Amino acid sequence: MSRILIAVTHLLGAGHLTRAVALARAFAGAGHGVTLVSGGMPAALALPDGVRLVQLPPVRITGTAFTALLDPEGEPVTPARLAERRAALLDAFADSRPEAVITELHPFGRRVLAAEFDALVEAARAAAPRPRLLASVRDVLARPGKPERVAAAHARLAAYDAVLVHGDPDLLPLDRSWPVDAAIAPLLHYTGYVDEAPAPLPVPLTVPLPVPLPPPGPRRGVVVSGGSSAAGLPLQEAALGAARLRPDEPWRVLVGRGVPEAAFAALRDSAPPNAVVERARPDFRALLAGAALSVSQAGYNTVLDLLRSGCPAVLVPFEAGRETEQRLRADTLAARGLARVLPEAALSAERLAEMAAEMAAALLDGAAPALAHAAPRGTPPPIALDGAARSVAIVEGLLARTPSLPRPALAESDWACLRAALDRRAGENRPVALWWRDDDATAHTPALDRLLALSRTTGWPLALAVIPAGAEPSLSWRLAGEAGIDLLVHGLAHANHAPPGAKKAELAHRPAATLEAEVAQGLALARALRPAPLPVLVPPWNRLAPDLAAALPRLGFRGLSTFGPCGPAVPGLVQVNTHLDPVAWRTGRGLADPRALLARAAATLAAGETRLGLLTHHLVQDAATWAFCEALLERLRAHPAVRVARADALFAPEASPVSQTDARVSPAQRLQGRNGPE
């Protein structure tokens, strides 16, 4: 397993540290060794085995003065303390020898601590082997007011391999709060929201939990929370005033551990009889699950608590010091009907009491907004909440493809046949369009991360054939923000319906009406994916019934892709096939004879084919197969006879007809598997 270093410094609340700890737990749970370097005020952390905590000399701030660092005693931080922090951080890096370094928020924020983060980045870049370098950011970022600060952050990202965006792009894409340009877009990996403490819920999750759901029962009372710092005091004071105006309703005001004892005591002493003031509790979600209303700020972790509990909510986003993060998150949830927003500038005891009364009336009518959709039991919520596990999978995928990946044992002479075929095409001014298709995608896996990394590093666009009936939400979440990816429709369920002794096929061996209904269903299911798929059918096992191709345009398809020579042309249907599959399906699923593969590619070009298709299967490929694909893609891209082809252009309605070099291939021959490697 791998070694991971996570560097985080929280300055105001504990949200950044909470998220970093959740990631550390997830990595440790997956068997990785984790060094968590914390530079904020010490906190009581429940860390599992496999996580080593390194506490830097702590710093903090007061209010929203993020550039005025203080020590624990409230004195301005000295250069000597900053130097001590930097040295301790570099010592932690040297001791842990990480294979991946994750900087929380930097380089998008923490400019006041840029020197120590930059020192860590430089140490990582100088190390041999060089660890993967990743940034970890929440769903919403604070955009600097000066363009040069954005440019500086983007310049620092040149050293990074990826950015883990802990949000759901269907809810809040990063470009809502930060300018995402063409340089950083390929680095973004959306993980879903990182949940720090799963708990029993009244609604199902995207992943099952090993805990029972709470028993149903009436909701009652108002739970008020203001985060972990003193920034929540205005909300808590207004809530006690609202409680006086609504004496018939019980109120519970939770105060963060970062609020000084004197301020906490003042709140407690001013509470009316129907209100309880206490410190933040570990069973916060259980309280929300039974409450009629939550009143809170809109911090990242607080919103996660609300999403998990499904409690109707009034959000009072923190906006002091020109902060915009919480307001954007709150407004986004309100726009979806999931909460109501009370701007901080409009906060008063009277207005809060009015909104609480309105929400109570709406709850009786069944119309109160809640942060969990009223979906039938068994259906996942529309927002991804398992970002810690997905973060681990993304990093594992990046680590799987290392610069030391072994190359296949091929001499220059082994490439000669393919090089000669390409040279002839270049001399005849007959370029060949090479395209790349990968089959059997259903979910976000480390193998998918490896595939996407290969696409990015080689510069080849990718057509991903997705099994519609098996597609999971994680697939769309993982592909969000990926450039150069087209989805194709891989049948319906990749189920074999061939009789015993026949070659495997899903779209054959059954009545035409059944087959047409299945491909139509597959297209309908695929259209729910993001990005939206091309209406191109990729039959499982590259086989389909003889008459099914002619029906595809009527069923909504405009393209068909199998393996080998194309069959007879079908009006309204663009046919573009693949020709080269490096997997040795019949001899252990390792790498097929690479010399035979290169000879086959050369023969395909010599036969006059104008489009050469590479077919891969990311879920089954071994290291040698990955290495061969990388070498092939790099060689082909460098040759002047090769044109990079993307599926959306190849299958466009105005695309030129596919080559009919082997038009004599009959539908019966296609069904017999002449165009199927599996």
mmCIF file of all heavy atoms in Angstrom, residues 551-572:
data_model
loop_
_atom_site.group_PDB
_atom_site.id
_atom_site.type_symbol
_atom_site.label_atom_id
_atom_site.label_comp_id
_atom_site.label_asym_id
_atom_site.label_seq_id
_atom_site.Cartn_x
_atom_site.Cartn_y
_atom_site.Cartn_z
ATOM 1 N N ALA A 551 -32.424 -1.450 -38.281
ATOM 2 C CA ALA A 551 -33.465 -0.840 -37.454
ATOM 3 C C ALA A 551 -32.940 0.274 -36.563
ATOM 4 O O ALA A 551 -33.726 1.032 -35.986
ATOM 5 C CB ALA A 551 -34.118 -1.920 -36.588
ATOM 6 N N LEU A 552 -31.626 0.400 -36.426
ATOM 7 C CA LEU A 552 -31.071 1.354 -35.461
ATOM 8 C C LEU A 552 -31.459 2.806 -35.722
ATOM 9 O O LEU A 552 -31.800 3.523 -34.773
ATOM 10 C CB LEU A 552 -29.545 1.194 -35.400
ATOM 11 C CG LEU A 552 -29.040 -0.130 -34.821
ATOM 12 C CD1 LEU A 552 -27.518 -0.176 -34.828
ATOM 13 C CD2 LEU A 552 -29.570 -0.353 -33.405
ATOM 14 N N PRO A 553 -31.401 3.319 -36.965
ATOM 15 C CA PRO A 553 -31.823 4.717 -37.162
ATOM 16 C C PRO A 553 -33.250 4.966 -36.698
ATOM 17 O O PRO A 553 -33.555 6.025 -36.125
ATOM 18 C CB PRO A 553 -31.656 4.916 -38.671
ATOM 19 C CG PRO A 553 -30.616 3.917 -39.066
ATOM 20 C CD PRO A 553 -30.880 2.723 -38.203
ATOM 21 N N ARG A 554 -34.141 4.027 -36.937
ATOM 22 C CA ARG A 554 -35.537 4.181 -36.512
ATOM 23 C C ARG A 554 -35.640 4.216 -34.989
ATOM 24 O O ARG A 554 -36.579 4.825 -34.444
ATOM 25 C CB ARG A 554 -36.360 3.033 -37.096
ATOM 26 C CG ARG A 554 -37.791 2.951 -36.597
ATOM 27 C CD ARG A 554 -38.614 1.973 -37.420
ATOM 28 N NE ARG A 554 -37.976 0.692 -37.555
ATOM 29 C CZ ARG A 554 -38.021 -0.284 -36.641
ATOM 30 N NH1 ARG A 554 -38.681 -0.094 -35.522
ATOM 31 N NH2 ARG A 554 -37.421 -1.444 -36.867
ATOM 32 N N LEU A 555 -34.698 3.599 -34.282
ATOM 33 C CA LEU A 555 -34.722 3.537 -32.823
ATOM 34 C C LEU A 555 -33.967 4.686 -32.166
ATOM 35 O O LEU A 555 -33.842 4.719 -30.939
ATOM 36 C CB LEU A 555 -34.139 2.206 -32.363
ATOM 37 C CG LEU A 555 -34.889 0.959 -32.850
ATOM 38 C CD1 LEU A 555 -34.105 -0.302 -32.498
ATOM 39 C CD2 LEU A 555 -36.283 0.901 -32.246
ATOM 40 N N GLY A 556 -33.453 5.607 -32.967
ATOM 41 C CA GLY A 556 -32.796 6.790 -32.408
ATOM 42 C C GLY A 556 -31.295 6.795 -32.479
ATOM 43 O O GLY A 556 -30.654 7.738 -32.003
ATOM 44 N N PHE A 557 -30.684 5.775 -33.070
ATOM 45 C CA PHE A 557 -29.228 5.723 -33.178
ATOM 46 C C PHE A 557 -28.771 6.330 -34.495
ATOM 47 O O PHE A 557 -29.449 6.215 -35.517
ATOM 48 C CB PHE A 557 -28.739 4.270 -33.096
ATOM 49 C CG PHE A 557 -28.851 3.667 -31.730
ATOM 50 C CD1 PHE A 557 -30.008 3.005 -31.340
ATOM 51 C CD2 PHE A 557 -27.811 3.773 -30.826
ATOM 52 C CE1 PHE A 557 -30.117 2.453 -30.071
ATOM 53 C CE2 PHE A 557 -27.909 3.223 -29.554
ATOM 54 C CZ PHE A 557 -29.063 2.568 -29.173
ATOM 55 N N ARG A 558 -27.588 6.931 -34.445
ATOM 56 C CA ARG A 558 -26.999 7.434 -35.684
ATOM 57 C C ARG A 558 -25.656 6.778 -35.984
ATOM 58 O O ARG A 558 -25.035 7.079 -36.995
ATOM 59 C CB ARG A 558 -26.839 8.944 -35.643
ATOM 60 C CG ARG A 558 -25.743 9.479 -34.729
ATOM 61 C CD ARG A 558 -25.449 10.938 -35.057
ATOM 62 N NE ARG A 558 -24.333 11.463 -34.282
ATOM 63 C CZ ARG A 558 -24.451 12.373 -33.327
ATOM 64 N NH1 ARG A 558 -25.640 12.847 -33.003
ATOM 65 N NH2 ARG A 558 -23.387 12.811 -32.668
ATOM 66 N N GLY A 559 -25.200 5.883 -35.081
ATOM 67 C CA GLY A 559 -23.914 5.260 -35.296
ATOM 68 C C GLY A 559 -23.870 3.845 -34.764
ATOM 69 O O GLY A 559 -24.651 3.449 -33.893
ATOM 70 N N LEU A 560 -22.929 3.071 -35.288
ATOM 71 C CA LEU A 560 -22.707 1.692 -34.884
ATOM 72 C C LEU A 560 -21.207 1.434 -34.900
ATOM 73 O O LEU A 560 -20.512 1.836 -35.837
ATOM 74 C CB LEU A 560 -23.414 0.724 -35.835
ATOM 75 C CG LEU A 560 -23.106 -0.774 -35.670
ATOM 76 C CD1 LEU A 560 -23.628 -1.285 -34.331
ATOM 77 C CD2 LEU A 560 -23.710 -1.570 -36.829
ATOM 78 N N SER A 561 -20.709 0.760 -33.865
ATOM 79 C CA SER A 561 -19.291 0.432 -33.805
ATOM 80 C C SER A 561 -19.135 -0.981 -33.279
ATOM 81 O O SER A 561 -19.624 -1.318 -32.198
ATOM 82 C CB SER A 561 -18.539 1.413 -32.899
ATOM 83 O OG SER A 561 -17.173 1.082 -32.821
ATOM 84 N N THR A 562 -18.447 -1.838 -34.071
ATOM 85 C CA THR A 562 -18.115 -3.187 -33.624
ATOM 86 C C THR A 562 -16.609 -3.368 -33.766
ATOM 87 O O THR A 562 -15.845 -2.457 -33.468
ATOM 88 C CB THR A 562 -18.917 -4.240 -34.414
ATOM 89 O OG1 THR A 562 -18.607 -4.141 -35.803
ATOM 90 C CG2 THR A 562 -20.404 -4.050 -34.197
ATOM 91 N N PHE A 563 -16.173 -4.531 -34.262
ATOM 92 C CA PHE A 563 -14.745 -4.818 -34.386
ATOM 93 C C PHE A 563 -14.484 -5.444 -35.743
ATOM 94 O O PHE A 563 -15.210 -6.328 -36.186
ATOM 95 C CB PHE A 563 -14.297 -5.784 -33.286
ATOM 96 C CG PHE A 563 -12.809 -6.002 -33.221
ATOM 97 C CD1 PHE A 563 -12.003 -5.149 -32.497
ATOM 98 C CD2 PHE A 563 -12.226 -7.066 -33.896
ATOM 99 C CE1 PHE A 563 -10.627 -5.350 -32.435
ATOM 100 C CE2 PHE A 563 -10.860 -7.287 -33.836
ATOM 101 C CZ PHE A 563 -10.056 -6.415 -33.104
ATOM 102 N N GLY A 564 -13.431 -4.986 -36.394
ATOM 103 C CA GLY A 564 -13.061 -5.540 -37.688
ATOM 104 C C GLY A 564 -13.661 -4.762 -38.841
ATOM 105 O O GLY A 564 -14.100 -3.626 -38.687
ATOM 106 N N PRO A 565 -13.699 -5.349 -40.050
ATOM 107 C CA PRO A 565 -14.235 -4.648 -41.221
ATOM 108 C C PRO A 565 -15.701 -4.292 -41.030
ATOM 109 O O PRO A 565 -16.455 -5.012 -40.364
ATOM 110 C CB PRO A 565 -14.051 -5.658 -42.358
ATOM 111 C CG PRO A 565 -13.000 -6.606 -41.874
ATOM 112 C CD PRO A 565 -13.166 -6.690 -40.400
ATOM 113 N N CYS A 566 -16.114 -3.189 -41.613
ATOM 114 C CA CYS A 566 -17.505 -2.768 -41.539
ATOM 115 C C CYS A 566 -18.369 -3.616 -42.463
ATOM 116 O O CYS A 566 -17.926 -4.061 -43.526
ATOM 117 C CB CYS A 566 -17.652 -1.301 -41.930
ATOM 118 S SG CYS A 566 -16.954 -0.157 -40.724
ATOM 119 N N GLY A 567 -19.605 -3.822 -42.069
ATOM 120 C CA GLY A 567 -20.568 -4.513 -42.903
ATOM 121 C C GLY A 567 -21.181 -3.573 -43.920
ATOM 122 O O GLY A 567 -20.749 -2.430 -44.087
ATOM 123 N N PRO A 568 -22.223 -4.032 -44.618
ATOM 124 C CA PRO A 568 -22.880 -3.206 -45.624
ATOM 125 C C PRO A 568 -23.397 -1.906 -45.024
ATOM 126 O O PRO A 568 -23.830 -1.862 -43.866
ATOM 127 C CB PRO A 568 -24.028 -4.091 -46.111
ATOM 128 C CG PRO A 568 -23.599 -5.484 -45.789
ATOM 129 C CD PRO A 568 -22.804 -5.385 -44.530
ATOM 130 N N ALA A 569 -23.351 -0.852 -45.823
ATOM 131 C CA ALA A 569 -23.813 0.447 -45.355
ATOM 132 C C ALA A 569 -25.306 0.412 -45.068
ATOM 133 O O ALA A 569 -26.081 -0.253 -45.760
ATOM 134 C CB ALA A 569 -23.496 1.520 -46.394
ATOM 135 N N VAL A 570 -25.705 1.142 -44.013
ATOM 136 C CA VAL A 570 -27.112 1.283 -43.641
ATOM 137 C C VAL A 570 -27.468 2.755 -43.750
ATOM 138 O O VAL A 570 -26.802 3.592 -43.129
ATOM 139 C CB VAL A 570 -27.356 0.778 -42.205
ATOM 140 C CG1 VAL A 570 -28.791 1.062 -41.776
ATOM 141 C CG2 VAL A 570 -27.045 -0.706 -42.098
ATOM 142 N N PRO A 571 -28.473 3.117 -44.542
ATOM 143 C CA PRO A 571 -28.850 4.531 -44.656
ATOM 144 C C PRO A 571 -29.143 5.135 -43.285
ATOM 145 O O PRO A 571 -29.856 4.541 -42.468
ATOM 146 C CB PRO A 571 -30.103 4.492 -45.537
ATOM 147 C CG PRO A 571 -29.984 3.222 -46.314
ATOM 148 C CD PRO A 571 -29.311 2.246 -45.396
ATOM 149 N N GLY A 572 -28.576 6.304 -43.040
ATOM 150 C CA GLY A 572 -28.791 7.001 -41.771
ATOM 151 C C GLY A 572 -27.946 6.512 -40.630
ATOM 152 O O GLY A 572 -28.134 6.955 -39.482
#
